[in-house]
Amino acid sequence: MFFDTDFSFGPVFAFVIGVLYIPILLAIARALGLYAIVREREALVFTLFGKVLGTLDEPGIRFPLGYFGAKALLVPFFGKLYRVPTCLRQHYLRDQMVNSEEGTPMGVGIWYEMQVSDPVSYLFSNANPEGSLQANVASSTISTLSNLEMDKMLEDRHQLSRRVRAAVSPLSEHWGYALGSVYIRKVAFTDRQMVDNITDKVVKRLVQVTSAMKQDGDNRVGLIKSETAYKVSQKMAEAAAARPAIVGEALNAIAQQDSEVLNAVMEVMETEQLIASGAQVDVLPVDSEILVQL
């Protein structure tokens, strides 16, 4: 085997050293506050000697020296860096107990959105801003919905949601929050016996309505039948009343044309009447006057 004596390991060694030590140097520079990385939907709050030095909220690589001056170099030693997420968050509070005007206990579920608008107020205005905001939303919901009519609680949820949001927004802004949408998603009964009673009433009412609809349908069908029978009988009566006039006109026309034909028609009609009546007919010869007398 032959080796190239002109080959040098210097570039390879430099590359390996760079790959190993550049991340370490960058980490040291970040720890010393020479630069900072601001992520999407995030804010960096710099404090020095217990006071707020400034805030960075634009995503990307930022150099605190360019924003705060030489004081930024003292933050790693005498201050602190806070990372505050500013993304939109959603919460749902279940079974907030309220009483209607009728005294009915009901459970309310309320959904709301929240987002950090002022990172400094979020960090230092309240020790537990999320818990305080949640408690404020719950108390505002209870105070807004309590002693309302049951129908209004079940039907006017959009308007009530706006009232809850209007009551919570001032305090949330003071704590560094921007309150988004607030919506009352669920209003339910908590007393099982009351639920069963309401269910029984609804079932009975449905049965009553169904029976009334069936009876109304039967009445309509009977009315249609009676009206149809009345119209049919009326038309039949009109036809029966018109028959003699038509027959009379036809017989008059025949009589004017030929009296013998009229006599034949009359005999035929008389014969039909006799046959239709079912009467007993005795047929006698022409020369039978003695039998007639007997």
Side-chain angles (χ1 to χ4, degrees), residues 42-196:
E42 185 181 60
L44 301 183
V45 180
F46 295 83
T47 60
L48 181 62
F49 299 115
K51 295 183 178 180
V52 177
L53 186 62
T55 303
L56 297 178
D57 55 3
E58 296 183 4
I61 299 176
R62 298 288 176 259
F63 299 94
L65 286 172
Y67 293 92
F68 314 124
K71 293 181 180 180
L73 299 176
L74 300 178
V75 172
F77 305 100
F78 304 103
K80 190 174 181 180
L81 174 62
Y82 296 90
R83 292 185 177 271
V84 180
T86 59
C87 58
L88 186 66
R89 286 175 285 180
Q90 301 174 349
H91 291 273
Y92 182 59
L93 302 180
R94 301 178 182 273
D95 298 332
Q96 302 299 310
M97 300 303 299
V98 296
N99 290 326
S100 64
E101 185 180 19
E102 298 83 1
T104 304
M106 306 184 72
V108 177
I110 184 166
W111 170 87
Y112 65 95
E113 295 177 338
M114 50 181 285
Q115 186 178 16
V116 176
S117 59
D118 188 353
V120 177
S121 299
Y122 170 77
L123 290 174
F124 305 110
S125 296
N126 195 320
N128 185 12
E130 294 185 10
S132 299
L133 179 62
Q134 181 175 341
N136 191 16
V137 172
S139 61
S140 298
T141 302
I142 294 173
S143 62
T144 302
L145 301 183
S146 294
N147 298 324
L148 289 178
E149 297 179 359
M150 187 182 301
D151 296 341
K152 191 172 183 180
M153 293 175 62
L154 296 174
E155 297 175 1
D156 298 341
R157 289 187 292 175
H158 297 285
Q159 181 179 0
L160 296 175
S161 300
R162 289 193 292 268
R163 290 174 57 183
V164 172
R165 185 181 186 279
V168 177
S169 292
L171 279 178
S172 65
E173 294 174 357
H174 177 70
W175 295 332
Y177 274 120
L179 190 65
S181 301
V182 177
Y183 186 66
I184 300 173
R185 293 184 57 185
K186 182 180 180 181
V187 179
F189 298 99
T190 57
D191 190 352
R192 184 62 186 175
Q193 184 177 1
M194 181 174 295
V195 174
D196 295 337

